[in-house]
Amino acid sequence: MTKVSVVVPAFNGDRFVGEALASVFAQTYRDFEVIVVDDGSTDETIRLVRAFECSQLSIIQQANSGTAAARNTGFRAAKGAYIAFLDQDDLWHPDKLERQLAAFSNDEVGLVGTLMDYIGPSGKRIAISGESSEGRMSDIAAGRFMPFPPSSMIIRAEILRALGGFDEELYRVAPVDDLDLVARVAATHLVLTLPESLGSYRVHESAETFTKFYQMQDATRFVQARIGSRKTGEDLDWDQWKTSARSTKFSRKHDLANYLYRRGGLRIANGDWLRGVGSVGFATLLDPRYTLPRFGRQFLFPRARNRKSGIK
């Protein structure tokens, strides 16, 4: 039986997917399969994936249905005891799988993520993404805290199947299906963050974290409200919540500060220092309680070794 199944959802990813797959095949741990789920691409994605010509690689093509559906298609075809996820524009360091799998020696651990380097479109390192999960299990289970990027995640396959995978209906609202999944895992198992960077999380203009940013903020609050409802034995659907939900002056300021902070980092990565610093500065004026700790954690006191992935 294959130990790890690596699921790579891909949609019009010809700009970066080759680098992403190269980082998987450069792993020091070798007992894995790679399942690329092409979610209706119309560019050169499939040609680039097929160019690898590796027995460990399989390709599934489907009509465009979204990242959550593509991830579910991949894990349902997987043969591994563990499922790892890698988005088409991100990268892994060569020892990522090897180091993460060791953390599953504790039977109570259900899911393991890592810190990752924030990188811009060119691959330039911006900052560190991710935080320790220690002492934060209640926040994770409540959907208030996502400790690491989804491209760092490895989960026990039996747990993922028991949970039914990612919530595809939720993804149609906004791409917070990973937050929802991690929260559901944390309700019954430990979720760990390895305190070192074992990959690179790429930010760019066409990433959903930018194109659907404000939808993601609303959807995050919906996930938190739905978790609370389910604890009382009830449920909550999006239309029901959206009808009654009201934004506040504080939430609007926080969302704008969050967006400007991210935008500033991307501008700096692209060499636009003047506008980048201006965006971060404005974000700090709007919500210093959010931006200052985040800035210190990501830029001033990174808790990860600054290692290169070795992928050109």
Side-chain angles (χ1 to χ4, degrees):
M1 179 180 184
T2 303
K3 189 71 173 290
V4 182
S5 296
V6 181
V7 174
V8 183
F11 173 68
N12 288 348
D14 59 4
R15 186 179 179 188
F16 300 119
V17 70
E19 291 180 75
L21 290 176
S23 75
V24 177
F25 289 113
Q27 291 296 297
T28 56
Y29 184 88
R30 303 305 303 169
D31 188 9
F32 63 81
E33 62 173 349
V34 181
I35 303 171
V36 176
V37 181
D38 179 69
D39 195 40
S41 294
T42 58
D43 63 357
E44 295 296 304
T45 295
I46 283 295
R47 182 184 64 79
L48 291 172
V49 173
R50 286 176 175 158
F52 280 87
E53 297 182 344
C54 176
S55 62
Q56 291 172 284
L57 174 67
S58 60
I59 303 170
I60 301 174
Q61 292 181 269
Q62 64 181 30
N64 181 247
S65 305
T67 303
R71 287 170 175 160
N72 284 341
T73 296
F75 100 75
R76 287 168 185 152
K79 302 179 179 67
Y82 300 90
I83 312 293
F85 295 97
L86 175 63
D87 288 347
Q88 65 186 14
D89 41 12
D90 297 336
L91 303 169
W92 286 352
H93 294 327
D95 57 346
K96 177 187 181 290
L97 289 180
E98 182 178 356
R99 296 185 69 83
Q100 273 185 281
L101 288 171
F104 285 101
S105 59
N106 181 348
D107 291 339
E108 295 181 1
V109 173
L111 190 154
V112 179
T114 78
L115 305 184
M116 298 185 81
D117 293 336
Y118 265 123
I119 61 173
S122 67
K124 179 181 179 180
R125 182 178 181 271
I126 307 170
I128 291 292
S129 177
E131 295 183 54
S132 171
S133 59
E134 187 175 357
R136 302 291 303 274
M137 290 302 297
S138 60
D139 287 334
I140 297 172
R144 294 191 296 264
F145 177 48
M146 179 67 176
F148 36 65
S151 284
S152 75
M153 298 192 316
I154 300 181
I155 184 173
R156 295 185 193 271
E158 59 186 358
I159 294 175
L160 188 57
R161 293 192 175 95
L163 292 174
F166 294 85
D167 186 338
E168 296 177 28
E169 292 300 321
L170 178 61
Y171 180 84
R172 292 185 177 95
V173 173
V176 295
D177 50 296
D178 48 2
L179 171 71
D180 172 72
L181 178 73
V182 174
R184 287 186 284 138
V185 174
T188 56
H189 293 79
L190 288 177
V191 172
L192 297 183
T193 308
L194 295 190
E196 59 182 317
S197 176
L198 292 174
S200 297
Y201 173 53
R202 196 187 306 265
V203 290
H204 51 91
E205 296 282 352
S206 58
E208 288 181 321
T209 51
F210 283 105
T211 61
K212 297 182 178 180
F213 176 82
Y214 287 103
Q215 297 98 307
M216 289 178 66
Q217 304 313 300
D218 276 349
T220 295
R221 288 187 274 269
F222 166 68
V223 167
Q224 295 164 354
R226 188 173 69 172
I227 290 171
S229 292
R230 287 176 173 176
K231 285 183 178 179
T232 67
E234 300 179 0
D235 209 339
L236 188 66
D237 64 42
W238 169 256
D239 292 333
Q240 177 186 358
W241 178 83
K242 189 64 175 175
T243 300
S244 60
R246 294 290 183 271
S247 63
T248 65
K249 183 178 180 180
F250 172 80
S251 67
R252 290 192 296 270
K253 283 178 62 178
H254 172 78
D255 290 351
L256 180 57
N258 190 339
Y259 178 80
L260 289 172
Y261 181 88
R262 292 167 182 259
R263 174 67 64 183
L266 181 58
R267 284 172 170 167
I268 291 170
N270 287 331
D272 189 354
W273 280 87
L274 183 60
R275 290 203 300 166
V277 171
S279 293
V280 173
F282 190 27
T284 303
L285 289 174
L286 285 171
D287 192 350
R289 289 184 298 175
Y290 167 77
T291 55
L292 290 177
R294 189 178 179 93
F295 185 85
R297 187 171 62 246
Q298 293 185 318
F299 291 91
L300 301 180
F301 310 108
R303 293 165 297 163
R305 290 178 293 155
N306 182 14
R307 303 185 308 158
K308 296 181 179 179
S309 67
I311 305 299
K312 301 296 185 182

